[in-house]
């Protein structure tokens, strides 16, 4: 059955990652530009990472603690998204790049907290 606190933390982190992925996909058009293909060029890597983070977040929300490796993968993808947003822009909007920095840091933080709660719960189960 597992630790209820670990499941709750993992599920909430998954929902946060899913919503962050949705926002990362919606943010460039909302914050900056129209629907031209040239306007999407600076953000295609970030949008691809956002889709993967969104899908992993959905799995983590629906089946918390069943696939524990997803926490580390989500942290790695969030850090990769952070690095992508720190690289020099190809004419992208500074508001969108700042948004990517904040959202990717939030994803990494929520996944890291879920990882810590899960480790604490595992340690508590082994000592009991």
């Amino acid at each position: 059955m597992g630790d209820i606190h670990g499941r709750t933390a993992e599920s909430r982190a998954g929902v946060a990652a899913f919503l962050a992925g949705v926002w990362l996909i919606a943010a460039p058009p909302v914050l900056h530009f129209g629907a031209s293909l040239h306007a999407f060029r600076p953000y295609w890597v970030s949008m691809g990472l956002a889709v993967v983070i969104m899908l992993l977040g959905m799995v983590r929300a629906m089946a918390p603690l069943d696939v524990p490796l997803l926490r580390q993968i989500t942290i790695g993808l969030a850090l990769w998204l952070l690095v992508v947003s720190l690289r020099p822009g190809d004419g992208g909007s500074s508001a969108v790049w700042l948004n990517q920095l904040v959202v990717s840091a939030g994803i990494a933080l929520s996944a890291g907290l879920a990882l810590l709660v899960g480790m604490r719960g595992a340690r508590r189960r082994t000592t009991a």
Side-chain angles (χ1 to χ4, degrees):
M1 174 135 188
D3 182 26
I4 191 73
H5 295 296
R7 285 189 178 277
T8 303
E10 185 66 27
S11 182
R12 288 180 181 166
V15 170
F18 176 78
L19 292 175
V22 169
W23 173 247
L24 283 172
I25 292 169
V30 169
L31 294 176
H32 176 249
F33 55 81
S36 72
L37 181 60
H38 176 68
F40 281 97
R41 189 171 298 136
Y43 309 112
W44 73 269
V45 173
S46 300
M47 287 184 172
L49 286 171
V51 168
V52 174
I53 288 171
M54 192 173 68
L55 293 174
L56 290 177
M58 191 171 20
V59 170
R60 290 173 60 210
M62 301 295 282
L65 303 180
D66 291 343
V67 189
L69 183 62
L70 289 183
R71 288 177 264 184
Q72 291 89 341
I73 293 172
T74 303
I75 292 170
L77 288 174
L79 293 176
W80 187 12
L81 185 61
L82 193 65
V83 168
V84 165
S85 62
L86 286 174
R87 72 186 169 129
D90 300 336
S93 169
S94 61
V96 176
W97 293 115
L98 179 62
N99 175 63
Q100 288 178 356
L101 282 172
V102 171
V103 173
S104 59
I107 294 168
L109 180 65
S110 69
L113 288 174
L115 180 64
L116 289 175
V117 168
M119 286 174 28
R120 191 182 77 191
R123 190 173 350 141
R124 190 180 311 145
R125 282 192 303 272
T126 58
T127 59

